[in-house]
Structure formats: structure tokens, C-alpha cells
Amino acid sequence: MALKSCHDRNVTHRDVKPENMVICFEDQDTGRCLKGSPSGDEKFTTKMRIIDFGSAIDKFTMKHLYGSVGPSRAEQTSEYTPPEALLNATWYQGPTSTILKYDMWSVGVVMLELILGSPNVFQINALTRVLLDQHLEGWNEGLKELAYKLRSFMELCILIPGSSSKHHRVGGTNNRGGFSPASWKCSEEFFSHQIKSRDPLKLGFPNVWAMRLVRQLLIWDPEDRLSVDDALRHPYFQPPP
């Protein structure tokens, strides 16, 4: 609901992550957070709030703060940054409804982080890194890290628009022994298995609705990504019949 409050005002937070989420014991009379732990006679409601709006953008800040230059990548937390902001320096020039989807990607990353128990949601194993490095010789470290992240996206079925969601093949045959970097079916079962295999507890998603919600948040094209209102209407948040 905190993010909905932002988006209803056309504010893109741009830094949704666990460090910027705080638990608030909200006084039912004043609406303010209580200082410290509540006592037995205080009436309060436990809520989560989003803090740190230092990277947030809206029409006012775009006009009076950033101007024609726009917000920089230095103000982003790369682990929670969606593809459009990673690859396109002018991503913020699109429609407001699309710009707001930046935060929805971050929410999907946070959900995966809670399931995996690690902030390193997008990572590749050592063998894959070695094989990729054969093709990245001479690239600078920044481009290499971007290539690793894009590979990790593909492993979680986060595909570039136009790629098949059922069967995605990358690279084909190369000159180093015919190695194909990726070939798999991007089904719900595959995605669920990927997350379960990376979960130290081997539990994965609690139910199919959680899995589907995350998949719909981590879509490459922001226009196809869930909005905050779409997400709140998702079956995952609905009470059981």
C-alpha cells in the first residue's frame, strides 16, 4: 500500500529494497510511528513503510532538479534496477505509467530475495562465468558485469521482447567446440525449479500464485509488467475462499 500511495501521486521511488523498508508501530490516534516498542496500553497498528526518497522522481523533480540531463545510474541500486534503466539512459522519458513500473521490478527482486535468503538474486555459477569469459575477452569490467547479469536474466526466463517464452536459444554454435550458452524451455515448472534449486532450504515458492506474481513482476518490457494496482488485485493477495 505504501508503494500504491507513491504511484497514485505519480512518484517513482526508484530505490525499493529491504534496506528502505521499515516496520512502524503506528499510533491509531495520531497516525505517527511510536518510538521504541509499544507498551501494553498503547493502541497501534503494525505497518511497513518505505523510506529514503533521495532517488525518487516525478514531474516536478524531472523539471526542476534533473532538467534535460535526467537522473543518473549512480543514483540507482543496480541489484534492483530493471532492464530498461540498465540499458537505456533515457528510460525516464516514457509515459508515467511505464516509468512507475521501475518500482514493480524492484518489488519482484525483493520477493525473490526473501525466498532465496540472499541479495544475490541475479548471479551465475562459476562454470557459466568461465564459458562466458571466453567470449568477453577484451571487454571492460563494467560490460562484463552487464553480460553476466543479462545471462542471469535469461536463466530465470526474463527474456528480451520477441524471444519465445517456450523455447529460448542463445548463441548457437560457436568456434570453441560448439558450446551453446543456453537452451531451455521457459515454463512455469522450469522457473519454479530454478528458484527451488537456488533456495538453500530447497523450498522455493510457497504456492503457485507467489511464483506467478514474481514472474509477472520480472518481465523485461515494462509495458507488460504488472502495475501496483494489478499486483494488489493478484490472487496471491486475495484471501482464500
Side-chain angles (χ1 to χ4, degrees), residues 70-230:
S72 71
R73 290 192 175 99
E75 299 149 1
Q76 302 171 162
T77 304
S78 61
E79 290 82 2
Y80 304 89
T81 302
E84 64 268 21
L86 280 175
L87 301 174
N88 183 4
T90 60
W91 65 274
Y92 55 86
Q93 295 179 357
T96 300
S97 59
T98 302
I99 296 173
L100 294 172
K101 300 288 187 69
Y102 182 118
D103 291 337
M104 303 313 295
W105 171 280
S106 303
V107 171
V109 177
V110 170
M111 288 187 69
L112 277 187
E113 191 171 331
L114 292 173
I115 292 170
L116 299 177
S118 168
N120 302 314
V121 170
F122 299 116
Q123 59 182 339
I124 56 176
N125 62 42
L127 175 59
T128 301
R129 183 180 290 257
V130 169
L131 293 171
L132 280 177
D133 282 342
Q134 296 178 17
H135 302 273
L136 304 178
E137 186 175 351
W139 292 32
N140 64 48
E141 289 304 312
L143 287 176
K144 283 185 177 181
E145 288 301 322
L146 179 59
Y148 300 151
K149 175 160 285 191
L150 294 179
R151 167 67 191 207
S152 70
F153 285 175
M154 288 189 291
E155 290 185 356
L156 294 181
C157 295
I158 302 169
L159 307 179
I160 299 172
S163 302
S164 170
S165 62
K166 294 182 178 179
H167 190 268
H168 186 69
R169 190 174 184 86
V170 181
T173 303
N174 59 42
N175 297 324
R176 297 179 182 268
F179 169 70
S180 175
S183 179
W184 52 77
K185 293 182 179 179
C186 278
S187 62
E188 288 187 345
E189 291 76 14
F190 176 85
F191 178 67
S192 182
H193 174 75
Q194 284 286 84
I195 300 305
K196 187 174 182 178
S197 66
R198 299 181 185 202
D199 179 0
L201 300 178
K202 304 304 178 186
L203 297 176
F205 291 105
N207 54 54
V208 67
W209 297 119
M211 180 270 295
R212 289 175 178 172
L213 175 60
V214 169
R215 288 199 81 185
Q216 290 175 295
L217 291 171
L218 297 180
I219 291 178
W220 184 289
D221 190 339
E223 292 187 1
D224 296 331
R225 207 174 294 152
L226 293 181
S227 68
V228 67
D229 289 319
D230 293 333

Side-chain angles (χ1 to χ4, degrees), residues 1-95:
M1 296 304 293
L3 195 57
K4 175 175 170 54
S5 181
C6 293
H7 287 194
D8 284 348
R9 294 166 174 79
N10 292 326
V11 174
T12 304
H13 186 278
R14 215 161 58 101
D15 203 17
V16 174
K17 57 185 179 182
E19 295 92 324
N20 288 337
M21 300 176 181
V22 297
I23 299 297
C24 166
F25 300 115
E26 186 178 282
D27 188 291
Q28 293 183 356
D29 295 325
T30 66
R32 296 180 178 179
C33 293
L34 299 173
K35 294 182 179 180
S37 300
S39 60
D41 58 344
E42 289 178 307
K43 296 180 180 180
F44 66 92
T45 303
T46 303
K47 292 187 176 180
M48 178 174 287
R49 292 190 175 183
I50 297 176
I51 62 172
D52 190 355
F53 283 77
S55 299
I57 59 173
D58 61 2
K59 287 185 178 180
F60 182 87
T61 56
M62 290 302 302
K63 180 178 180 180
H64 298 282
L65 179 61
Y66 295 109
S68 60
V69 177
S72 71
R73 290 192 175 99
E75 299 149 1
Q76 302 171 162
T77 304
S78 61
E79 290 82 2
Y80 304 89
T81 302
E84 64 268 21
L86 280 175
L87 301 174
N88 183 4
T90 60
W91 65 274
Y92 55 86
Q93 295 179 357

